[in-house]
């Protein structure tokens, strides 16, 4: 009898918690609350991926994340397109502590959110681990380009066609050292290890990350996007 009561309580407890959460009786810390906006400064946890994924279907939760993180990004007006390159929910991307070069490219809000998570929680820790320095500048090859995948005449539009991607060529450290994919990807020392950690770290926040291991077209850059596909190589 007691066992049966205990078992019933055990089964009901999670239901009561979920019910209490939706009724507003149970409060979760913001970093664990699926309805709270993502704070880029908080340590990533199991909820982070869900919150980043939600931004694709609820763009306002993306802009709310910037507000919750104490940032006020420059949002850009939507621009419809009859050539398959509409701009929706875009903004100017600014790094947290590393500047982008060229400065302030246009990206979708989910790309900007993934970038801020990547920079703080993957890129800078990797630079500190491998070089005891921080990244002060990121060289990129562009974000928006109304074109098909691989510039082909036919086929589907690239994620770049909607500013939902960024291509990264290299990094400058605060100590003046330059690391770039063309020269350093095959390095067996710290630069090669750093670039692999950067690739793996980006995969935690972006949907697709492609680099030199993927194909020759990516020998000189990491492609990072927030499209529907998922791939890390
Ligand atoms: Zn790309």
């Amino acid at each position: 009898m007691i066992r049966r009561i205990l078992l019933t309580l055990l089964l009901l407890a999670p239901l009561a918690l979920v019910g209490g959460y939706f009724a507003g009786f149970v409060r979760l810390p913001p970093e664990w609350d699926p309805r709270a906006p993502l704070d880029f400064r908080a340590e990533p946890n199991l909820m982070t991926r869900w919150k980043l994924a939600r931004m694709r279907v609820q763009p306002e939760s993306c802009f709310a994340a910037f507000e919750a993180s104490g940032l006020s990004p420059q949002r850009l007006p939507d621009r419809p397109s009859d050539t398959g390159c509409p701009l929706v929910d875009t903004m100017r991307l600014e790094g947290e502590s590393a500047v982008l070069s060229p400065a302030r490219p246009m990206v979708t809000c989910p790309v900007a959110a993934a970038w801020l998570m990547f920079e703080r929680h993957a890129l800078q820790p990797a630079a500190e681990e491998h070089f005891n320095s921080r990244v002060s500048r990121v060289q990129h090859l562009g974000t928006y380009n109304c074109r098909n995948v691989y510039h082909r005449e036919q086929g589907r539009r690239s994620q770049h066609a909607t500013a939902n991607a960024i291509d990264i060529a290299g990094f400058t450290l605060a100590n003046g050292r330059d690391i770039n994919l063309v020269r350093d990807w095959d390095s067996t020392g710290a630069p090669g290890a750093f670039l692999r950690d950067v690739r793996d770290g980006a995969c935690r926040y972006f949907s697709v990350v492609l680099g030199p291991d993927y194909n020759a077209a990516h020998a000189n850059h990491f492609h990072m996007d927030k499209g529907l596909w998922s791939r890390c190589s």
Side-chain angles (χ1 to χ4, degrees), residues 60-101:
E60 286 313 316
S61 76
C62 183
F63 291 104
F66 280 82
E67 209 169 293
S69 306
L71 299 167
S72 39
Q74 186 189 342
R75 192 170 178 170
L76 298 168
D78 288 356
R79 208 173 72 196
S81 158
D82 45 22
T83 53
C85 301
L87 293 171
V88 180
D89 303 316
T90 55
M91 54 180 279
R92 295 279 170 204
L93 173 61
E94 287 184 79
E96 186 189 30
S97 55
V99 297
L100 284 140
S101 177

Side-chain angles (χ1 to χ4, degrees), residues 74-141:
Q74 186 189 342
R75 192 170 178 170
L76 298 168
D78 288 356
R79 208 173 72 196
S81 158
D82 45 22
T83 53
C85 301
L87 293 171
V88 180
D89 303 316
T90 55
M91 54 180 279
R92 295 279 170 204
L93 173 61
E94 287 184 79
E96 186 189 30
S97 55
V99 297
L100 284 140
S101 177
R104 309 180 73 242
M106 172 176 62
V107 291
T108 58
C109 188
V111 165
W115 181 267
L116 287 179
M117 291 300 291
F118 159 72
E119 186 197 330
R120 175 181 271 249
H121 302 289
L123 178 64
Q124 298 294 10
E128 273 163 15
E129 181 189 336
H130 294 287
F131 302 110
N132 201 21
S133 185
R134 286 175 66 80
V135 173
S136 57
R137 182 175 294 272
V138 178
Q139 289 87 39
H140 73 91
L141 302 177

Side-chain angles (χ1 to χ4, degrees), residues 142 147 158 160 165-167 218 221-224:
R147 64 169 172 84
S158 160
H160 288 287
I166 185 166
D167 290 338
H218 294 84
H221 70 277
F222 289 129
H223 165 94
M224 306 174 180

Side-chain angles (χ1 to χ4, degrees), residues 45-66:
N45 62 24
L46 291 172
M47 197 57 76
T48 305
R49 193 172 275 263
W50 190 89
K51 290 187 181 200
L52 285 169
R54 184 180 58 165
M55 292 174 182
R56 274 208 302 256
V57 284
Q58 290 177 356
E60 286 313 316
S61 76
C62 183
F63 291 104
F66 280 82

